[in-house]
Amino acid sequence: MVRHKSMQAFGEALANAETQLEIIQNRCTLPPFDETYQSIGEGPLTATGIEVFQVNVGKLCNQVCRHCHVDAGPDRREIMSRETMQLCLEALAKTDVPKVDITGGAPEMNPNFRWFVSEVKKLGRHVMVRSNLTILLAKGYEDLPEFFAAHGVEVISSLPHYTATNTDKQRGEGVFERSIEAIRRLNHLGYGQEESGLILNLVYNPVGAFLPPNQAGLEADYKRVLNVEYGVQFNHLYTITNMPIGRFLDYLIASGNYESYMQRLVSLFNPAAARNVMCRTTLSIGWDGTLYDCDFNQMLELKVGFGAPMHIKDFDFAQLRTRRIVTKQHCYGCTAGAGSSCGGAIA
Amino acid sequence: METYYNPADLAKFASVGEGNKKLMDKFFSWYNEVFAAGALSEREKALIALAVAHAVQCPYCIDAYTQSSLEKGATLEQMTEAIHVAAAIRGGASLVHGVQMKNVYQKLSM
Ligand code: SF4
Ligand code: SF4
């Protein structure tokens, strides 16, 4: 049931961004996202600034989760080089962008990960790392919690559910137990404890073709169960909608849920969520330095458009902070219900 | 294969209002208020609805409230317990009418 390699390793058609786009754009008759967005009366979707550099440092991962939009896995070789990281740092230094959100794959598996984190810290920016938790127990990575604490890194980790069954179904056998052990280690250093200033946020995403529940209510459930049953703590829970791309798209199609899932996203279009989609304040940088509006567009290989510079080496803050966003039908995933972003619900 | 129930019909529920919009609007405004959080949480209400859907054996409601229970954060374990509650009440309700049967039996028997 759980994969051991990416779709790419098996040469599956859906590993290809073009094939995914073809399906998203043409497989069911939904109103075009652009038109729906413009119905809220603010013209086309446009960035309002850049508050976050989201840097995807590679597709290599120690896990192969069933819903992964990146199609990450142990077989993936796309990795950001130190030279490209240097370009990111140079671009960052020219701006007052306060946050750098490092993602992957398992970003920690990039050999230059630690160097990059400390260089960003030297520039006085806040660092967030999307850690999958299990990597913190892997050989050669056991001292990462100390490294995170020493650099004041905010850790954001997927834990799709507070029960082992649901988490393991999506992320692999034994992932829940190892995740709890990793949280314990982070807690031990002060992570997730109110007074320490070390932030550990968890991420819920539905284990299937349905939308996430109310974020605040679910956070209370997570806190109660994780504390009572496992004695572990965290700061906030973010609920994230599964985007119809990558391996989740594969699942949707194989399970016969694709059309109804898309229709549901469209029927729950929420103008308040649409006004706050994360691409309005985020710039996403790919492993090879290519610029995207978000990590989802990155996986669909939809580069920034409308005349904005497409590579970090041509970084132009003034142009990028007001760029028009490239949208396709998957964008409905960000605007349904309470909305979804890398920081959870948005409306 | 033709059947009386087609999953796609669930989405056409509102079309039942075509014969009398006013009554249907009243129904939906009441219905939506029933399911809003109040003294019971939205999740508790979704689980009750799921259980009742099984008691009345409505496939549309089973479809809708399985999805709704999941989207309100219910687990498979909670949903399964909810339908056992419905089943226990159904079974119990049949059995408790055995008292009626016994009353009649006693009246008719020597
Ligand atoms: S979802 Fe995250 S942890 Fe899972 S395979 Fe993808 S990148 Fe790795
Ligand atoms: S998918 Fe990306 S581009 Fe589309 S609305 Fe979401 S964040 Fe913006």
Side-chain angles (χ1 to χ4, degrees):
Chain A
M1 194 166 81
V2 170
R3 300 176 151 268
H4 299 289
K5 280 183 181 176
S6 66
M7 298 196 294
Q8 194 199 53
F10 293 105
E12 290 171 41
L14 274 176
N16 186 302
E18 238 173 88
T19 314
Q20 293 184 48
L21 262 178
E22 172 70 29
I23 292 168
I24 296 168
Q25 291 301 98
N26 303 325
R27 172 93 176 244
C28 47
T29 46
L30 302 169
F33 178 81
D34 259 349
E35 274 172 30
T36 308
Y37 182 83
Q38 298 210 30
S39 73
I40 66 177
E42 293 186 355
L45 182 58
T46 305
T48 55
I50 302 177
E51 283 161 26
V52 183
F53 261 29
Q54 187 168 57
V55 187
N56 193 315
V57 297
K59 299 185 182 186
L60 177 62
C61 191
N62 60 322
Q63 288 187 181
V64 198
C65 308
R66 290 184 73 197
H67 72 304
C68 186
H69 73 273
V70 181
D71 191 27
D75 54 280
R76 297 300 296 250
R77 293 292 163 260
E78 301 88 332
I79 277 290
M80 184 179 274
S81 68
R82 192 147 164 158
E83 291 69 38
T84 306
M85 286 179 174
Q86 189 66 52
L87 293 173
C88 295
L89 292 166
E90 283 161 24
L92 188 64
K94 283 188 230 153
T95 71
D96 57 357
V97 171
K99 293 180 186 164
V100 176
D101 183 351
I102 308 178
T103 188
E108 301 94 328
M109 292 177 84
N110 181 309
N112 292 303
F113 169 77
R114 293 178 197 226
W115 172 80
F116 186 56
V117 171
S118 47
E119 291 300 308
V120 175
K121 286 310 287 185
K122 279 186 205 158
L123 292 172
R125 314 302 163 99
H126 180 66
V127 176
M128 296 152 19
V129 171
R130 308 263 157 190
S131 175
N132 68 19
L133 292 173
T134 61
I135 191 71
L136 307 183
L137 308 183
K139 210 165 170 288
Y141 299 95
E142 299 99 323
D143 61 332
L144 271 171
E146 282 79 8
F147 173 82
F148 287 156
H151 289 78
V153 166
E154 175 182 337
V155 179
I156 302 165
S157 294
S158 236
L159 189 69
H161 206 260
Y162 55 78
T163 62
T165 354
N166 279 345
T167 292
D168 289 0
K169 235 199 273 177
Q170 181 169 88
R171 293 174 83 79
E173 204 53 39
V175 167
F176 182 79
E177 207 185 305
R178 279 183 286 143
S179 300
I180 295 292
E181 176 54 25
I183 298 176
R184 217 167 261 142
R185 291 189 194 183
L186 289 166
N187 283 165
H188 187 68
L189 296 165
Y191 271 100
Q193 323 289 329
E194 285 306 332
E195 48 323 322
S196 71
L198 293 173
I199 305 290
L200 168 64
N201 292 328
L202 296 184
V203 177
Y204 161 94
N205 61 272
V207 185
F210 54 95
L211 265 74
N214 171 279
Q215 185 163 281
L218 195 65
E219 180 182 285
D221 290 341
Y222 263 68
K223 287 204 164 157
R224 186 171 34 81
V225 177
L226 293 185
N227 191 19
V228 173
E229 306 216 347
Y230 306 98
V232 297
Q233 286 87 37
F234 66 97
N235 296 92
H236 289 295
L237 181 77
Y238 297 151
T239 56
I240 293 190
T241 303
N242 286 319
M243 296 296 278
I245 62 179
R247 293 205 284 261
F248 188 67
L249 177 61
D250 182 53
Y251 155 78
L252 284 177
I253 293 170
S255 61
N257 281 304
Y258 176 71
E259 273 85 4
S260 57
Y261 188 76
M262 292 304 287
Q263 261 146 14
R264 192 152 173 79
L265 294 180
V266 175
S267 69
L268 292 172
F269 178 81
N270 177 356
R275 285 191 186 96
N276 291 312
V277 284
M278 65 183 167
C279 49
R280 305 198 87 178
T281 52
T282 304
L283 180 69
S284 157
I285 305 160
W287 66 275
D288 59 356
T290 305
L291 303 181
Y292 304 90
D293 294 304
C294 71
D295 206 54
F296 307 121
N297 282 8
Q298 181 173 147
M299 298 316 146
L300 292 171
E301 294 171 15
L302 295 165
K303 299 176 193 182
V304 290
F306 305 99
M310 289 182 178
H311 195 275
I312 191 72
K313 69 176 173 357
D314 306 314
F315 182 78
D316 178 335
F317 196 31
Q319 231 186 323
L320 285 160
R321 73 206 297 189
T322 55
R323 73 192 186 276
R324 183 166 163 194
I325 309 287
V326 177
T327 59
K328 296 279 181 224
Q329 300 298 73
H330 65 295
C331 293
Y332 279 114
C334 291
T335 57
S340 181
S341 74
C342 283
I346 46 186
Chain B
M1 181 183 73
E2 284 204 10
T3 68
Y4 281 107
Y5 290 119
N6 174 357
D9 287 344
L10 175 57
K12 299 179 195 152
F13 187 12
S15 73
V16 177
E18 277 159 23
N20 188 325
K21 185 169 180 309
K22 198 168 120 211
L23 288 179
M24 201 61 173
D25 286 350
K26 282 193 172 164
F27 169 79
F28 274 121
S29 82
W30 170 75
Y31 187 95
N32 291 335
E33 206 163 322
V34 165
F35 282 97
L40 292 174
S41 68
E42 289 187 352
R43 183 191 310 171
E44 286 163 334
K45 290 181 178 185
L47 286 168
I48 293 171
L50 182 69
V52 175
H54 282 77
V56 301
Q57 293 185 324
C58 171
Y60 301 116
C61 297
I62 292 173
D63 186 339
Y65 284 96
T66 300
Q67 170 132 4
S68 174
S69 296
L70 286 168
E71 293 186 345
K72 302 295 178 208
T75 61
L76 179 63
E77 290 73 15
Q78 291 168 338
M79 290 156 68
T80 308
E81 281 184 27
I83 65 174
H84 273 289
V85 171
I89 295 294
R90 277 191 79 137
S94 296
L95 276 178
V96 76
H97 281 79
V99 178
Q100 307 281 345
M101 175 272 284
K102 286 195 70 189
N103 289 345
V104 179
Y105 172 82
Q106 266 150 17
K107 192 180 164 202
L108 296 179
S109 303
M110 291 180 76

